[in-house]
mmCIF file of all heavy atoms in Angstrom:
data_model
loop_
_atom_site.group_PDB
_atom_site.id
_atom_site.type_symbol
_atom_site.label_atom_id
_atom_site.label_comp_id
_atom_site.label_asym_id
_atom_site.label_seq_id
_atom_site.Cartn_x
_atom_site.Cartn_y
_atom_site.Cartn_z
ATOM 1 N N SER A 409 -145.214 74.666 231.752
ATOM 2 C CA SER A 409 -145.830 74.831 230.488
ATOM 3 C C SER A 409 -145.977 73.447 229.750
ATOM 4 O O SER A 409 -145.475 72.457 230.223
ATOM 5 C CB SER A 409 -145.085 75.755 229.615
ATOM 6 O OG SER A 409 -143.777 75.363 229.406
ATOM 7 N N ALA A 410 -146.721 73.511 228.673
ATOM 8 C CA ALA A 410 -146.961 72.281 227.881
ATOM 9 C C ALA A 410 -145.617 71.892 227.203
ATOM 10 O O ALA A 410 -144.806 72.712 226.845
ATOM 11 C CB ALA A 410 -148.008 72.568 226.826
ATOM 12 N N ILE A 411 -145.457 70.574 227.036
ATOM 13 C CA ILE A 411 -144.257 70.089 226.374
ATOM 14 C C ILE A 411 -144.530 70.105 224.852
ATOM 15 O O ILE A 411 -145.423 69.415 224.408
ATOM 16 C CB ILE A 411 -143.826 68.671 226.865
ATOM 17 C CG1 ILE A 411 -143.596 68.704 228.410
ATOM 18 C CG2 ILE A 411 -142.650 68.120 226.129
ATOM 19 C CD1 ILE A 411 -143.515 67.350 229.007
ATOM 20 N N SER A 412 -143.784 70.963 224.140
ATOM 21 C CA SER A 412 -144.194 71.154 222.689
ATOM 22 C C SER A 412 -143.487 70.217 221.706
ATOM 23 O O SER A 412 -143.831 70.091 220.547
ATOM 24 C CB SER A 412 -143.996 72.620 222.352
ATOM 25 O OG SER A 412 -142.617 72.879 222.312
ATOM 26 N N GLY A 413 -142.409 69.618 222.164
ATOM 27 C CA GLY A 413 -141.719 68.649 221.208
ATOM 28 C C GLY A 413 -140.709 67.747 221.988
ATOM 29 O O GLY A 413 -140.398 67.926 223.162
ATOM 30 N N VAL A 414 -140.292 66.749 221.277
ATOM 31 C CA VAL A 414 -139.327 65.744 221.769
ATOM 32 C C VAL A 414 -138.249 65.521 220.718
ATOM 33 O O VAL A 414 -138.551 65.370 219.576
ATOM 34 C CB VAL A 414 -140.026 64.429 222.081
ATOM 35 C CG1 VAL A 414 -138.973 63.398 222.564
ATOM 36 C CG2 VAL A 414 -141.096 64.554 223.198
ATOM 37 N N LEU A 415 -136.946 65.474 221.170
ATOM 38 C CA LEU A 415 -135.841 65.188 220.260
ATOM 39 C C LEU A 415 -135.132 63.993 220.715
ATOM 40 O O LEU A 415 -134.935 63.698 221.891
ATOM 41 C CB LEU A 415 -134.827 66.390 220.291
ATOM 42 C CG LEU A 415 -135.259 67.758 219.892
ATOM 43 C CD1 LEU A 415 -134.133 68.811 220.276
ATOM 44 C CD2 LEU A 415 -135.578 67.851 218.493
ATOM 45 N N ALA A 416 -134.897 63.064 219.628
ATOM 46 C CA ALA A 416 -133.981 61.976 219.965
ATOM 47 C C ALA A 416 -132.598 62.483 220.172
ATOM 48 O O ALA A 416 -132.272 63.621 219.796
ATOM 49 C CB ALA A 416 -134.093 60.975 218.775
ATOM 50 N N PRO A 417 -131.702 61.724 220.839
ATOM 51 C CA PRO A 417 -130.359 62.236 221.146
ATOM 52 C C PRO A 417 -129.624 62.825 219.916
ATOM 53 O O PRO A 417 -129.520 62.217 218.912
ATOM 54 C CB PRO A 417 -129.607 60.995 221.617
ATOM 55 C CG PRO A 417 -130.712 60.141 222.259
ATOM 56 C CD PRO A 417 -131.834 60.355 221.338
ATOM 57 N N GLY A 418 -129.191 64.127 220.019
ATOM 58 C CA GLY A 418 -128.353 64.776 219.003
ATOM 59 C C GLY A 418 -129.265 65.394 217.974
ATOM 60 O O GLY A 418 -128.568 65.971 216.981
ATOM 61 N N GLU A 419 -130.535 65.311 217.922
ATOM 62 C CA GLU A 419 -131.380 65.891 216.825
ATOM 63 C C GLU A 419 -131.398 67.405 217.061
ATOM 64 O O GLU A 419 -131.303 67.871 218.161
ATOM 65 C CB GLU A 419 -132.766 65.367 216.846
ATOM 66 C CG GLU A 419 -132.860 64.011 216.176
ATOM 67 C CD GLU A 419 -134.311 63.478 216.158
ATOM 68 O OE1 GLU A 419 -135.218 63.988 216.884
ATOM 69 O OE2 GLU A 419 -134.478 62.496 215.407
ATOM 70 N N ARG A 420 -131.558 68.134 215.974
ATOM 71 C CA ARG A 420 -131.505 69.663 216.006
ATOM 72 C C ARG A 420 -132.968 70.119 216.275
ATOM 73 O O ARG A 420 -133.966 69.550 215.752
ATOM 74 C CB ARG A 420 -131.082 70.127 214.690
ATOM 75 C CG ARG A 420 -130.558 71.498 214.630
ATOM 76 C CD ARG A 420 -129.911 71.751 213.245
ATOM 77 N NE ARG A 420 -130.145 73.023 212.726
ATOM 78 C CZ ARG A 420 -129.291 74.068 212.989
ATOM 79 N NH1 ARG A 420 -128.229 73.838 213.691
ATOM 80 N NH2 ARG A 420 -129.554 75.262 212.479
#
Side-chain angles (χ1 to χ4, degrees):
S409 59
I411 300 167
S412 67
V414 175
L415 299 173
E419 281 182 345
R420 203 168 141 93

